[in-house]
Amino acid sequence: MTLKTRLTQHFGIEHPVVLAPMDDVADARLASAVSAAGGLGLLGGGYANEAWVREQLERVTAAVGCGFITWTLRGNEHVLDLALQQDPAAIFLSFGDPAPYAPRIRAAGVPLICQVHNVQQALRALEVGADVIAAQGGEAGGHGEGQRSTFTLVPEIADLVASTAPQVLVLAAGGVTDGRGLAASLALGADGVLVGTRFWAAQEAAISRAAQQYALEVDGDGTIRQHVYDIVRGKDWPRPYSGRVLRNDFVEKWHDHEAELAEHLDEARSDYQAGVTAEEYRVANVIVGEGIGRVRHIESAADIVHSMVAQAAAINPTYQGAKTCH
């Protein structure tokens, strides 16, 4: 069973399901598995670690793209060039102005996906020539601005694109974990979905199995947007970005007490590192979105893709074999 949309037609894939380029978690194994299942896998190039990106590109076994945290490419443009030399299926830019890097991506003939969190960012993505806009609501795991919900942001951006640049594709991101989310996203005007948390819980994901099992026990109420872990890890994220993680004792202790955290940073970092080493997730961070409340099993990437598509098609059979348009 396949779902045909403008996204599947554009990328030559079977299903309108794209793996979110989760930093480190979306490695060659997971990205290749999603692509092999008929979706589009994206490597989590994240902070532009050259050695990691090079290793993963050498290990992929299917056509995949690569994502980067845009502001980390400043001074690391050679890592983007490294990815472009491998003729990736797409380059995904998020969390910053894509303008400095869009020309070299377009010159390489590689599709550009820009993740946005509001209408202003969507307009900027259109201005620089994005081929795909990923509209991410605040429900998503990891970093984001967190001010808009997927349910309202996606149709607003879909309408904007339809009226100003109808050739551009739209992905819905944030809280999509099953076929209901996929069907709803298509109904809202998206051409496909960008999925993170559900694939975080895939068998192929480069994440601790202990972390996965820990997360299966919580619901969507158990997540929170915070800055604590960026401070502890020394990640100088620009405002207004915050990261959604699971609530735990460590977050509860320091959230809204960041000034105090800065005063006790060495102690807090020691506690954090000990928690990571011991896989103690009352201290270590677990980066997932609100959709974790719908995840109760660790499955293969292929099973996740196929069940998502089958459920969406059952909800609305007109999606099967059809090419959606705005």
Side-chain angles (χ1 to χ4, degrees):
M1 181 177 295
T2 62
L3 290 183
K4 298 299 184 183
T5 72
R6 297 193 310 155
L7 183 82
T8 61
Q9 184 179 35
H10 183 84
F11 285 97
I13 57 180
E14 295 180 54
H15 310 300
V17 178
V18 182
L19 167 66
M22 298 172 284
D23 182 38
D24 291 345
V25 176
D27 67 352
R29 183 180 181 219
L30 180 57
S32 296
V34 172
S35 288
L40 175 61
L42 298 174
L43 294 171
Y47 294 93
N49 182 316
E50 180 179 0
W52 189 92
V53 171
R54 185 183 300 276
E55 178 184 3
Q56 301 310 313
L57 287 170
E58 291 174 350
R59 289 177 49 210
V60 296
T61 57
V64 304
C66 189
F68 293 103
I69 298 170
T70 310
W71 56 267
T72 70
L73 288 174
R74 190 179 306 112
N76 291 308
E77 290 84 357
H78 62 287
V79 184
L80 173 59
D81 292 335
L82 170 65
L84 290 173
Q85 290 166 9
Q86 302 304 312
D87 192 26
I91 292 291
F92 185 106
L93 299 181
S94 55
F95 315 120
D97 186 7
Y101 313 105
R104 67 207 308 157
I105 296 169
R106 296 185 62 79
V110 174
L112 170 60
I113 305 174
C114 289
Q115 181 169 275
V116 306
H117 306 92
N118 54 49
V119 174
Q120 182 179 5
Q121 292 175 2
L123 288 169
R124 182 59 166 167
L126 293 174
E127 183 181 353
V128 304
D131 299 285
V132 184
I133 292 178
Q136 185 191 65
E139 300 93 324
H143 286 88
E145 292 200 28
Q147 301 300 316
R148 296 293 305 273
S149 73
T150 305
F151 200 80
T152 60
L153 181 63
V154 170
E156 188 169 354
I157 289 181
D159 288 349
L160 170 69
V161 168
S163 64
T164 59
Q167 77 283 1
V168 173
L169 307 177
V170 176
L171 293 173
V176 180
T177 58
D178 57 19
R180 291 180 296 181
L182 172 55
S185 297
L186 297 179
L188 292 174
D191 300 289
V193 292
L194 183 73
V195 179
T197 295
R198 187 62 192 93
F199 284 127
W200 179 93
Q203 294 171 357
E204 297 90 344
I207 192 69
S208 163
R209 297 299 171 257
Q212 289 179 324
Q213 291 300 325
Y214 180 85
L216 295 187
E217 302 300 320
V218 305
D219 56 36
D221 293 338
T223 70
I224 185 174
R225 303 205 70 88
Q226 48 74 56
H227 298 281
V228 170
Y229 284 117
D230 288 337
I231 295 171
V232 170
R233 297 184 303 159
K235 303 295 187 182
D236 190 21
W237 272 82
R239 295 285 181 166
Y241 295 113
S242 60
R244 185 177 292 284
V245 300
L246 285 188
R247 293 178 181 271
N248 61 16
D249 294 345
F250 191 81
V251 171
E252 295 295 343
K253 177 178 181 179
W254 296 115
H255 181 57
D256 285 337
H257 299 281
E258 286 79 7
E260 184 180 353
L261 172 60
E263 295 175 359
H264 298 84
L265 193 54
D266 288 343
E267 175 188 348
R269 281 179 172 166
S270 178
D271 292 343
Y272 168 73
Q273 291 297 336
V276 171
T277 300
E279 297 191 35
E280 173 52 79
Y281 295 104
R282 288 175 296 181
V283 177
N285 56 328
V286 178
I287 304 173
V288 294
E290 291 180 356
I292 194 64
R294 292 296 311 139
V295 181
R296 288 295 173 262
H297 303 284
I298 308 301
E299 300 176 286
S300 70
D303 285 344
I304 292 169
V305 171
H306 296 152
S307 63
M308 186 176 291
V309 169
Q311 187 181 28
I315 291 170
N316 191 336
T318 61
Y319 293 145
Q320 187 176 353
K323 293 182 174 65
T324 64
C325 58
H326 297 308

